[in-house]
Amino acid sequence: MKYDFDTPVPRRGTDSCKWDSAAAEGVLPMWVADMDFRTAPAITEALRRRVEHGIFGYTHVPESYYEVVAGWFARRHGWRIERDWVICLPGVVPALSAIIKALTVPGDKVLIQTPVYNCFFSSIRNNGCEIVTSPLVPVGNTYVIDYDDLEAKASDPGVKLMLLCNPHNPVGRVWTRAELLRIGEICLRHDVVVVADEIHCELVFSGHSYTPFASLSEDFLHHSVTCISPSKAFNIAGLQIANIVSADAGRRARIDRAVNDNEVCDVNPFGVLATRAAYNEGAEWLDELIGYLHANYRCMRDFCREHLPDFPITELEGTYLVWMDCRRLGIPSHEMEQRLIAEARLWLNAGTMYGAEGEGFMRWNIACPRVLLMDGLNRFLGFVKTVRAGASAPQSPAGAERNGGR
């Protein structure tokens, strides 16, 4: 490989949310969705040149930025984005909040497919809207859509928007063209606008293909809003850059007004530069990254089959987030998260962050050098062995246990 994804890069002491948030010493963080890899060299070099200039005032987003974004999506994904459709802002979460604010009024309902990205819940609630869930259905080692339930929920006149996670976090699905068509047809029938969070769109493995929801038809294009960003694929979340794409002029004007009302209209100059470098010069690095992430997933899958057969993981079609079924251990997800940190020095995300359907599940972030992935898997295996050994140990007499508890 031309690029090095194997060598660990020390991140403790860099004010990293991922690495410096744990109170305990020696915790291996495999939770929040950023990667433990240096970004593409072309991005680093572009930022270095900008730093050497030495002045970091307010930035104007140049026309070349929009050209680069449109060029990337046309080349890589076959989706032609017009310049006027794009609103630039600091992140996808602020984008979701602004879109909901613009296209609903308090009391409206917003449809989501659970388990799903935790910020969907907060963005809906913070805008005074009601959450309506259409749970995904586990089938074997993957999840599918219950279209009858989705149609029933979308038919409620109070439902104004559907937040679509494509690819899906946390279950790792890359929705097929056929699946997206059925979702879109349901939403069109019931006049539900689709808001597609496609932040993980670049991270799709061999045998699967990302389809931009808005690219499927003119009707879908004009009945949807899409959120995109290079932040996940190129590990630049801290540079705070994202785009809202809306082809409907009236809807776009309302969203732009909400972006300004929420005071999230200014972007980081480094984010603009990084996006241009990523989309102009980062394709080769990204392709190697995807291959490495897929190999990490296969490594984890094989480890679990051999050593953790009671803890199946879903088939990962895209993203670097693995969904593990831990129900056989009989520990609630939130408690398991805390116990893993305290007893195994391993930080995973509790499945209940992503809705009630996540109870008993844990989410792993495997975007790290393989040596760290193996360390995490072995820590988890040790935790499981310890828990099961304790469960099978002879119990103290009831009276003695009560006395010892005083």
PDB file of all heavy atoms in Angstrom, residues 81-111:
ATOM      1  N   ILE A  81     -24.771  17.984  -9.482  1.00  0.00           N
ATOM      2  CA  ILE A  81     -25.279  18.979  -8.538  1.00  0.00           C
ATOM      3  C   ILE A  81     -25.057  20.363  -9.125  1.00  0.00           C
ATOM      4  O   ILE A  81     -23.939  20.721  -9.504  1.00  0.00           O
ATOM      5  CB  ILE A  81     -24.542  18.861  -7.178  1.00  0.00           C
ATOM      6  CG1 ILE A  81     -24.765  17.485  -6.552  1.00  0.00           C
ATOM      7  CG2 ILE A  81     -24.989  19.958  -6.227  1.00  0.00           C
ATOM      8  CD1 ILE A  81     -23.918  17.239  -5.311  1.00  0.00           C
ATOM      9  N   GLU A  82     -26.117  21.147  -9.203  1.00  0.00           N
ATOM     10  CA  GLU A  82     -26.008  22.517  -9.706  1.00  0.00           C
ATOM     11  C   GLU A  82     -25.489  23.439  -8.598  1.00  0.00           C
ATOM     12  O   GLU A  82     -25.773  23.235  -7.409  1.00  0.00           O
ATOM     13  CB  GLU A  82     -27.370  23.021 -10.191  1.00  0.00           C
ATOM     14  CG  GLU A  82     -27.967  22.215 -11.335  1.00  0.00           C
ATOM     15  CD  GLU A  82     -27.189  22.367 -12.621  1.00  0.00           C
ATOM     16  OE1 GLU A  82     -26.498  23.404 -12.780  1.00  0.00           O
ATOM     17  OE2 GLU A  82     -27.253  21.442 -13.458  1.00  0.00           O
ATOM     18  N   ARG A  83     -24.751  24.441  -8.997  1.00  0.00           N
ATOM     19  CA  ARG A  83     -24.169  25.390  -8.030  1.00  0.00           C
ATOM     20  C   ARG A  83     -25.230  25.997  -7.122  1.00  0.00           C
ATOM     21  O   ARG A  83     -25.027  26.117  -5.899  1.00  0.00           O
ATOM     22  CB  ARG A  83     -23.432  26.491  -8.811  1.00  0.00           C
ATOM     23  CG  ARG A  83     -23.177  27.787  -8.032  1.00  0.00           C
ATOM     24  CD  ARG A  83     -22.196  27.575  -6.880  1.00  0.00           C
ATOM     25  NE  ARG A  83     -22.022  28.796  -6.114  1.00  0.00           N
ATOM     26  CZ  ARG A  83     -22.768  29.146  -5.071  1.00  0.00           C
ATOM     27  NH1 ARG A  83     -23.799  28.382  -4.693  1.00  0.00           N
ATOM     28  NH2 ARG A  83     -22.507  30.246  -4.397  1.00  0.00           N
ATOM     29  N   ASP A  84     -26.354  26.378  -7.690  1.00  0.00           N
ATOM     30  CA  ASP A  84     -27.367  27.080  -6.901  1.00  0.00           C
ATOM     31  C   ASP A  84     -28.040  26.199  -5.855  1.00  0.00           C
ATOM     32  O   ASP A  84     -28.735  26.712  -4.964  1.00  0.00           O
ATOM     33  CB  ASP A  84     -28.442  27.667  -7.826  1.00  0.00           C
ATOM     34  CG  ASP A  84     -27.910  28.799  -8.691  1.00  0.00           C
ATOM     35  OD1 ASP A  84     -26.835  29.335  -8.365  1.00  0.00           O
ATOM     36  OD2 ASP A  84     -28.570  29.136  -9.694  1.00  0.00           O
ATOM     37  N   TRP A  85     -27.873  24.899  -5.964  1.00  0.00           N
ATOM     38  CA  TRP A  85     -28.538  23.995  -5.022  1.00  0.00           C
ATOM     39  C   TRP A  85     -27.833  23.914  -3.667  1.00  0.00           C
ATOM     40  O   TRP A  85     -28.377  23.363  -2.718  1.00  0.00           O
ATOM     41  CB  TRP A  85     -28.597  22.579  -5.590  1.00  0.00           C
ATOM     42  CG  TRP A  85     -29.336  22.429  -6.877  1.00  0.00           C
ATOM     43  CD1 TRP A  85     -30.093  23.364  -7.524  1.00  0.00           C
ATOM     44  CD2 TRP A  85     -29.372  21.253  -7.691  1.00  0.00           C
ATOM     45  NE1 TRP A  85     -30.606  22.843  -8.682  1.00  0.00           N
ATOM     46  CE2 TRP A  85     -30.191  21.548  -8.816  1.00  0.00           C
ATOM     47  CE3 TRP A  85     -28.813  19.977  -7.584  1.00  0.00           C
ATOM     48  CZ2 TRP A  85     -30.446  20.612  -9.813  1.00  0.00           C
ATOM     49  CZ3 TRP A  85     -29.070  19.052  -8.581  1.00  0.00           C
ATOM     50  CH2 TRP A  85     -29.874  19.361  -9.686  1.00  0.00           C
ATOM     51  N   VAL A  86     -26.611  24.416  -3.556  1.00  0.00           N
ATOM     52  CA  VAL A  86     -25.732  24.114  -2.427  1.00  0.00           C
ATOM     53  C   VAL A  86     -25.702  25.249  -1.411  1.00  0.00           C
ATOM     54  O   VAL A  86     -25.501  26.419  -1.763  1.00  0.00           O
ATOM     55  CB  VAL A  86     -24.299  23.815  -2.912  1.00  0.00           C
ATOM     56  CG1 VAL A  86     -23.387  23.476  -1.733  1.00  0.00           C
ATOM     57  CG2 VAL A  86     -24.310  22.661  -3.923  1.00  0.00           C
ATOM     58  N   ILE A  87     -25.883  24.881  -0.152  1.00  0.00           N
ATOM     59  CA  ILE A  87     -25.688  25.789   0.983  1.00  0.00           C
ATOM     60  C   ILE A  87     -24.552  25.215   1.823  1.00  0.00           C
ATOM     61  O   ILE A  87     -24.609  24.064   2.265  1.00  0.00           O
ATOM     62  CB  ILE A  87     -26.962  25.914   1.838  1.00  0.00           C
ATOM     63  CG1 ILE A  87     -28.130  26.451   1.005  1.00  0.00           C
ATOM     64  CG2 ILE A  87     -26.707  26.779   3.066  1.00  0.00           C
ATOM     65  CD1 ILE A  87     -29.473  26.366   1.718  1.00  0.00           C
ATOM     66  N   CYS A  88     -23.529  26.008   2.036  1.00  0.00           N
ATOM     67  CA  CYS A  88     -22.354  25.571   2.793  1.00  0.00           C
ATOM     68  C   CYS A  88     -22.507  25.991   4.252  1.00  0.00           C
ATOM     69  O   CYS A  88     -22.932  27.116   4.540  1.00  0.00           O
ATOM     70  CB  CYS A  88     -21.110  26.207   2.170  1.00  0.00           C
ATOM     71  SG  CYS A  88     -19.553  25.601   2.818  1.00  0.00           S
ATOM     72  N   LEU A  89     -22.161  25.097   5.187  1.00  0.00           N
ATOM     73  CA  LEU A  89     -22.262  25.397   6.617  1.00  0.00           C
ATOM     74  C   LEU A  89     -21.315  24.481   7.398  1.00  0.00           C
ATOM     75  O   LEU A  89     -20.669  23.610   6.802  1.00  0.00           O
ATOM     76  CB  LEU A  89     -23.707  25.276   7.104  1.00  0.00           C
ATOM     77  CG  LEU A  89     -24.346  23.903   7.293  1.00  0.00           C
ATOM     78  CD1 LEU A  89     -25.696  24.051   7.988  1.00  0.00           C
ATOM     79  CD2 LEU A  89     -24.496  23.125   6.011  1.00  0.00           C
ATOM     80  N   PRO A  90     -21.210  24.643   8.739  1.00  0.00           N
ATOM     81  CA  PRO A  90     -20.140  23.963   9.472  1.00  0.00           C
ATOM     82  C   PRO A  90     -20.304  22.461   9.698  1.00  0.00           C
ATOM     83  O   PRO A  90     -19.316  21.817  10.077  1.00  0.00           O
ATOM     84  CB  PRO A  90     -20.112  24.688  10.828  1.00  0.00           C
ATOM     85  CG  PRO A  90     -20.787  25.978  10.597  1.00  0.00           C
ATOM     86  CD  PRO A  90     -21.822  25.710   9.565  1.00  0.00           C
ATOM     87  N   GLY A  91     -21.472  21.871   9.544  1.00  0.00           N
ATOM     88  CA  GLY A  91     -21.582  20.444   9.833  1.00  0.00           C
ATOM     89  C   GLY A  91     -22.941  19.889   9.475  1.00  0.00           C
ATOM     90  O   GLY A  91     -23.913  20.645   9.264  1.00  0.00           O
ATOM     91  N   VAL A  92     -23.030  18.565   9.436  1.00  0.00           N
ATOM     92  CA  VAL A  92     -24.286  17.909   9.085  1.00  0.00           C
ATOM     93  C   VAL A  92     -25.317  18.026  10.203  1.00  0.00           C
ATOM     94  O   VAL A  92     -26.513  18.172   9.935  1.00  0.00           O
ATOM     95  CB  VAL A  92     -24.028  16.440   8.686  1.00  0.00           C
ATOM     96  CG1 VAL A  92     -25.320  15.634   8.688  1.00  0.00           C
ATOM     97  CG2 VAL A  92     -23.385  16.386   7.291  1.00  0.00           C
ATOM     98  N   VAL A  93     -24.889  17.990  11.455  1.00  0.00           N
ATOM     99  CA  VAL A  93     -25.868  18.129  12.547  1.00  0.00           C
ATOM    100  C   VAL A  93     -26.511  19.516  12.539  1.00  0.00           C
ATOM    101  O   VAL A  93     -27.746  19.629  12.606  1.00  0.00           O
ATOM    102  CB  VAL A  93     -25.240  17.781  13.907  1.00  0.00           C
ATOM    103  CG1 VAL A  93     -26.209  18.076  15.044  1.00  0.00           C
ATOM    104  CG2 VAL A  93     -24.833  16.309  13.944  1.00  0.00           C
ATOM    105  N   PRO A  94     -25.740  20.607  12.425  1.00  0.00           N
ATOM    106  CA  PRO A  94     -26.398  21.907  12.252  1.00  0.00           C
ATOM    107  C   PRO A  94     -27.283  21.962  11.012  1.00  0.00           C
ATOM    108  O   PRO A  94     -28.317  22.626  11.012  1.00  0.00           O
ATOM    109  CB  PRO A  94     -25.223  22.886  12.124  1.00  0.00           C
ATOM    110  CG  PRO A  94     -24.089  22.223  12.803  1.00  0.00           C
ATOM    111  CD  PRO A  94     -24.274  20.747  12.570  1.00  0.00           C
ATOM    112  N   ALA A  95     -26.874  21.231   9.963  1.00  0.00           N
ATOM    113  CA  ALA A  95     -27.698  21.189   8.746  1.00  0.00           C
ATOM    114  C   ALA A  95     -29.048  20.544   9.031  1.00  0.00           C
ATOM    115  O   ALA A  95     -30.100  21.061   8.627  1.00  0.00           O
ATOM    116  CB  ALA A  95     -26.963  20.426   7.650  1.00  0.00           C
ATOM    117  N   LEU A  96     -29.032  19.394   9.716  1.00  0.00           N
ATOM    118  CA  LEU A  96     -30.281  18.711  10.037  1.00  0.00           C
ATOM    119  C   LEU A  96     -31.201  19.603  10.867  1.00  0.00           C
ATOM    120  O   LEU A  96     -32.412  19.693  10.616  1.00  0.00           O
ATOM    121  CB  LEU A  96     -29.986  17.411  10.792  1.00  0.00           C
ATOM    122  CG  LEU A  96     -29.285  16.303  10.009  1.00  0.00           C
ATOM    123  CD1 LEU A  96     -28.864  15.185  10.950  1.00  0.00           C
ATOM    124  CD2 LEU A  96     -30.179  15.760   8.905  1.00  0.00           C
ATOM    125  N   SER A  97     -30.609  20.276  11.840  1.00  0.00           N
ATOM    126  CA  SER A  97     -31.408  21.142  12.703  1.00  0.00           C
ATOM    127  C   SER A  97     -32.031  22.280  11.905  1.00  0.00           C
ATOM    128  O   SER A  97     -33.220  22.601  12.068  1.00  0.00           O
ATOM    129  CB  SER A  97     -30.529  21.701  13.823  1.00  0.00           C
ATOM    130  OG  SER A  97     -31.285  22.521  14.687  1.00  0.00           O
ATOM    131  N   ALA A  98     -31.244  22.897  11.016  1.00  0.00           N
ATOM    132  CA  ALA A  98     -31.764  24.006  10.218  1.00  0.00           C
ATOM    133  C   ALA A  98     -32.852  23.551   9.255  1.00  0.00           C
ATOM    134  O   ALA A  98     -33.856  24.246   9.048  1.00  0.00           O
ATOM    135  CB  ALA A  98     -30.621  24.670   9.455  1.00  0.00           C
ATOM    136  N   ILE A  99     -32.681  22.372   8.669  1.00  0.00           N
ATOM    137  CA  ILE A  99     -33.679  21.850   7.729  1.00  0.00           C
ATOM    138  C   ILE A  99     -34.997  21.577   8.447  1.00  0.00           C
ATOM    139  O   ILE A  99     -36.082  21.926   7.958  1.00  0.00           O
ATOM    140  CB  ILE A  99     -33.151  20.580   7.046  1.00  0.00           C
ATOM    141  CG1 ILE A  99     -31.970  20.919   6.134  1.00  0.00           C
ATOM    142  CG2 ILE A  99     -34.254  19.891   6.248  1.00  0.00           C
ATOM    143  CD1 ILE A  99     -31.156  19.708   5.717  1.00  0.00           C
ATOM    144  N   ILE A 100     -34.910  20.938   9.613  1.00  0.00           N
ATOM    145  CA  ILE A 100     -36.132  20.654  10.368  1.00  0.00           C
ATOM    146  C   ILE A 100     -36.818  21.958  10.766  1.00  0.00           C
ATOM    147  O   ILE A 100     -38.047  22.100  10.653  1.00  0.00           O
ATOM    148  CB  ILE A 100     -35.815  19.784  11.601  1.00  0.00           C
ATOM    149  CG1 ILE A 100     -35.300  18.410  11.163  1.00  0.00           C
ATOM    150  CG2 ILE A 100     -37.056  19.627  12.478  1.00  0.00           C
ATOM    151  CD1 ILE A 100     -34.725  17.576  12.289  1.00  0.00           C
ATOM    152  N   LYS A 101     -36.026  22.928  11.208  1.00  0.00           N
ATOM    153  CA  LYS A 101     -36.599  24.222  11.592  1.00  0.00           C
ATOM    154  C   LYS A 101     -37.307  24.884  10.415  1.00  0.00           C
ATOM    155  O   LYS A 101     -38.388  25.474  10.554  1.00  0.00           O
ATOM    156  CB  LYS A 101     -35.494  25.137  12.123  1.00  0.00           C
ATOM    157  CG  LYS A 101     -35.982  26.517  12.540  1.00  0.00           C
ATOM    158  CD  LYS A 101     -34.856  27.325  13.163  1.00  0.00           C
ATOM    159  CE  LYS A 101     -35.364  28.682  13.649  1.00  0.00           C
ATOM    160  NZ  LYS A 101     -34.296  29.441  14.350  1.00  0.00           N
ATOM    161  N   ALA A 102     -36.693  24.764   9.223  1.00  0.00           N
ATOM    162  CA  ALA A 102     -37.230  25.439   8.047  1.00  0.00           C
ATOM    163  C   ALA A 102     -38.492  24.788   7.511  1.00  0.00           C
ATOM    164  O   ALA A 102     -39.377  25.478   6.980  1.00  0.00           O
ATOM    165  CB  ALA A 102     -36.166  25.478   6.952  1.00  0.00           C
ATOM    166  N   LEU A 103     -38.584  23.457   7.625  1.00  0.00           N
ATOM    167  CA  LEU A 103     -39.628  22.718   6.914  1.00  0.00           C
ATOM    168  C   LEU A 103     -40.723  22.163   7.817  1.00  0.00           C
ATOM    169  O   LEU A 103     -41.599  21.433   7.344  1.00  0.00           O
ATOM    170  CB  LEU A 103     -38.982  21.577   6.111  1.00  0.00           C
ATOM    171  CG  LEU A 103     -37.884  21.994   5.118  1.00  0.00           C
ATOM    172  CD1 LEU A 103     -37.394  20.797   4.325  1.00  0.00           C
ATOM    173  CD2 LEU A 103     -38.360  23.113   4.192  1.00  0.00           C
ATOM    174  N   THR A 104     -40.672  22.500   9.089  1.00  0.00           N
ATOM    175  CA  THR A 104     -41.716  22.057  10.015  1.00  0.00           C
ATOM    176  C   THR A 104     -42.130  23.226  10.902  1.00  0.00           C
ATOM    177  O   THR A 104     -41.482  24.275  10.922  1.00  0.00           O
ATOM    178  CB  THR A 104     -41.225  20.912  10.926  1.00  0.00           C
ATOM    179  OG1 THR A 104     -40.192  21.409  11.791  1.00  0.00           O
ATOM    180  CG2 THR A 104     -40.711  19.734  10.125  1.00  0.00           C
ATOM    181  N   VAL A 105     -43.180  22.982  11.646  1.00  0.00           N
ATOM    182  CA  VAL A 105     -43.529  23.866  12.761  1.00  0.00           C
ATOM    183  C   VAL A 105     -43.603  22.991  14.000  1.00  0.00           C
ATOM    184  O   VAL A 105     -43.815  21.769  13.909  1.00  0.00           O
ATOM    185  CB  VAL A 105     -44.876  24.581  12.528  1.00  0.00           C
ATOM    186  CG1 VAL A 105     -44.778  25.515  11.325  1.00  0.00           C
ATOM    187  CG2 VAL A 105     -46.011  23.583  12.350  1.00  0.00           C
ATOM    188  N   PRO A 106     -43.397  23.565  15.190  1.00  0.00           N
ATOM    189  CA  PRO A 106     -43.473  22.756  16.407  1.00  0.00           C
ATOM    190  C   PRO A 106     -44.779  21.968  16.462  1.00  0.00           C
ATOM    191  O   PRO A 106     -45.856  22.491  16.167  1.00  0.00           O
ATOM    192  CB  PRO A 106     -43.384  23.792  17.527  1.00  0.00           C
ATOM    193  CG  PRO A 106     -42.558  24.897  16.920  1.00  0.00           C
ATOM    194  CD  PRO A 106     -42.991  24.960  15.484  1.00  0.00           C
ATOM    195  N   GLY A 107     -44.645  20.703  16.818  1.00  0.00           N
ATOM    196  CA  GLY A 107     -45.791  19.803  16.858  1.00  0.00           C
ATOM    197  C   GLY A 107     -45.874  18.890  15.655  1.00  0.00           C
ATOM    198  O   GLY A 107     -46.566  17.859  15.700  1.00  0.00           O
ATOM    199  N   ASP A 108     -45.196  19.240  14.561  1.00  0.00           N
ATOM    200  CA  ASP A 108     -45.135  18.343  13.409  1.00  0.00           C
ATOM    201  C   ASP A 108     -44.376  17.071  13.783  1.00  0.00           C
ATOM    202  O   ASP A 108     -43.627  17.023  14.774  1.00  0.00           O
ATOM    203  CB  ASP A 108     -44.429  19.016  12.231  1.00  0.00           C
ATOM    204  CG  ASP A 108     -45.319  20.000  11.493  1.00  0.00           C
ATOM    205  OD1 ASP A 108     -46.538  19.976  11.719  1.00  0.00           O
ATOM    206  OD2 ASP A 108     -44.776  20.805  10.698  1.00  0.00           O
ATOM    207  N   LYS A 109     -44.534  16.029  12.952  1.00  0.00           N
ATOM    208  CA  LYS A 109     -43.891  14.751  13.201  1.00  0.00           C
ATOM    209  C   LYS A 109     -42.806  14.490  12.164  1.00  0.00           C
ATOM    210  O   LYS A 109     -42.944  14.877  10.996  1.00  0.00           O
ATOM    211  CB  LYS A 109     -44.923  13.621  13.170  1.00  0.00           C
ATOM    212  CG  LYS A 109     -46.012  13.762  14.229  1.00  0.00           C
ATOM    213  CD  LYS A 109     -47.073  12.681  14.091  1.00  0.00           C
ATOM    214  CE  LYS A 109     -48.178  12.856  15.124  1.00  0.00           C
ATOM    215  NZ  LYS A 109     -49.234  11.814  14.976  1.00  0.00           N
ATOM    216  N   VAL A 110     -41.735  13.823  12.625  1.00  0.00           N
ATOM    217  CA  VAL A 110     -40.614  13.483  11.754  1.00  0.00           C
ATOM    218  C   VAL A 110     -40.353  11.988  11.882  1.00  0.00           C
ATOM    219  O   VAL A 110     -40.211  11.463  12.991  1.00  0.00           O
ATOM    220  CB  VAL A 110     -39.352  14.284  12.116  1.00  0.00           C
ATOM    221  CG1 VAL A 110     -38.194  13.903  11.196  1.00  0.00           C
ATOM    222  CG2 VAL A 110     -39.631  15.791  12.039  1.00  0.00           C
ATOM    223  N   LEU A 111     -40.269  11.321  10.750  1.00  0.00           N
ATOM    224  CA  LEU A 111     -40.147   9.863  10.688  1.00  0.00           C
ATOM    225  C   LEU A 111     -38.683   9.455  10.592  1.00  0.00           C
ATOM    226  O   LEU A 111     -37.928  10.030   9.812  1.00  0.00           O
ATOM    227  CB  LEU A 111     -40.918   9.358   9.470  1.00  0.00           C
ATOM    228  CG  LEU A 111     -40.941   7.861   9.145  1.00  0.00           C
ATOM    229  CD1 LEU A 111     -41.521   7.061  10.301  1.00  0.00           C
ATOM    230  CD2 LEU A 111     -41.751   7.641   7.870  1.00  0.00           C
TER     231      LEU A 111
END
